[in-house]
């Protein structure tokens, strides 16, 4: 038997695991969601997960900041594969993963029973430790280009400041060395 989970790679609680134990789950900022993520980038009801044919399908619920799978914004339902990266907005990154469970485990319940028993919870509950040690969490880049700052206004401002300082310095030097008539012969009083 296999269990699916989300592991938060970046967001308010990096490293937190969200076990997916229900046929229908919503992800959002409200505590009534199956996966509650309290962050301004997450809408109250952001996305929905549906268990169909042994796989989870994710779809955006008209969120403000969008739902992305592997960097692509969702425009319809998408079937998740282990290793997929689900992003909510730009800052919240969840890794979708499959965890193999020990068949001799103390308690195993069918997915239907888990759906009935699963109540909305404010805080995620960590699953039992896997039979293998997963690799340590690595910082993850969504592949989205970083926001670039428009440097043109900065260069224009710096250039104007240098020009004003150069002019002020020149006029100070002309005045200090009495060279007004040398540089500006058209000034009245110059021979």
């Amino acid at each position: 038997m296999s269990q699916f989970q989300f592991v938060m790679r970046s967001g308010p609680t990096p490293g937190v695991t969200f076990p997916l134990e229900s046929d229908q789950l919503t992800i959002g900022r409200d505590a009534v969601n199956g996966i509650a993520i309290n962050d301004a980038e997450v809408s109250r009801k952001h996305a929905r997960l549906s268990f169909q044919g042994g796989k989870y399908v994710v779809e955006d619920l008209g969120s403000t900041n969008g739902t992305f799978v592997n960097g692509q914004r969702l425009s319809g339902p998408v079937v998740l594969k282990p290793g997929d990266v689900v992003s909510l907005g730009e800052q919240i990154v969840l890794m979708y993963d499959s965890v193999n469970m020990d068949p001799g485990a103390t308690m195993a319940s069918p997915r239907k029973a888990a759906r009935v028993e699963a109540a909305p919870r404010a805080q995620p509950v960590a699953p039992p430790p896997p039979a293998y040690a997963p690799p340590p969490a690595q910082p993850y880049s969504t592949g989205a280009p970083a926001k670039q700052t428009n440097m043109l206004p900065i260069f224009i401002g710096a250039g104007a400041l240098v020009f004003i300082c150069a002019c002020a310095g020149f006029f100070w030097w002309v005045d200090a060395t009495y060279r007004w008539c040398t540089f500006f012969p058209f000034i009245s009083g110059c021979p």
Side-chain angles (χ1 to χ4, degrees):
M1 182 173 170
S2 162
Q3 175 184 347
F4 297 99
Q5 66 183 10
F6 275 133
V7 178
M8 186 173 287
R9 293 293 183 222
S10 70
T13 52
V16 169
T17 301
F18 300 96
L20 308 179
E21 300 171 335
S22 221
D23 287 345
Q24 292 279 336
L25 284 168
T26 54
I27 303 171
R29 191 172 62 235
D30 280 348
V32 298
N33 291 291
I35 298 176
I37 300 173
N38 189 11
D39 189 272
E41 288 232 350
V42 179
S43 297
R44 284 185 198 92
K45 290 224 181 252
H46 197 101
R48 177 179 26 239
L49 288 169
S50 305
F51 193 73
Q52 301 172 8
K55 297 179 182 179
Y56 272 100
V57 176
V58 64
E59 61 184 309
D60 187 75
L61 295 176
S63 64
T64 303
N65 295 316
T67 303
F68 302 80
V69 174
N70 299 326
Q72 298 295 317
R73 189 172 187 144
L74 297 185
S75 57
V78 171
V79 176
L80 293 176
K81 300 177 294 301
D84 280 349
V85 175
V86 177
S87 304
L88 310 174
E90 293 182 13
Q91 304 298 321
I92 312 301
V93 179
L94 303 169
M95 178 69 76
Y96 177 73
D97 203 4
S98 171
V99 178
N100 292 325
M101 300 300 289
D102 181 3
T106 307
M107 181 178 162
S109 60
R111 206 169 277 286
K112 286 270 188 211
R115 187 176 66 82
V116 172
E117 294 169 12
R121 55 197 154 175
Q123 295 295 324
V125 178
Y132 68 94
Q138 298 293 323
Y140 182 79
S141 169
T142 60
K147 290 184 179 177
Q148 294 183 351
T149 303
N150 185 357
M151 298 298 288
L152 184 61
I154 294 170
F155 288 130
I156 290 173
L161 184 62
V162 168
F163 177 75
I164 291 169
C165 289
C167 289
F170 171 75
F171 285 115
W172 176 81
W173 176 75
V174 166
D175 191 51
T177 58
Y178 303 103
R179 296 194 178 169
W180 285 104
C181 290
T182 305
F183 289 102
F184 304 102
F186 53 87
I187 296 177
S188 63
C190 289

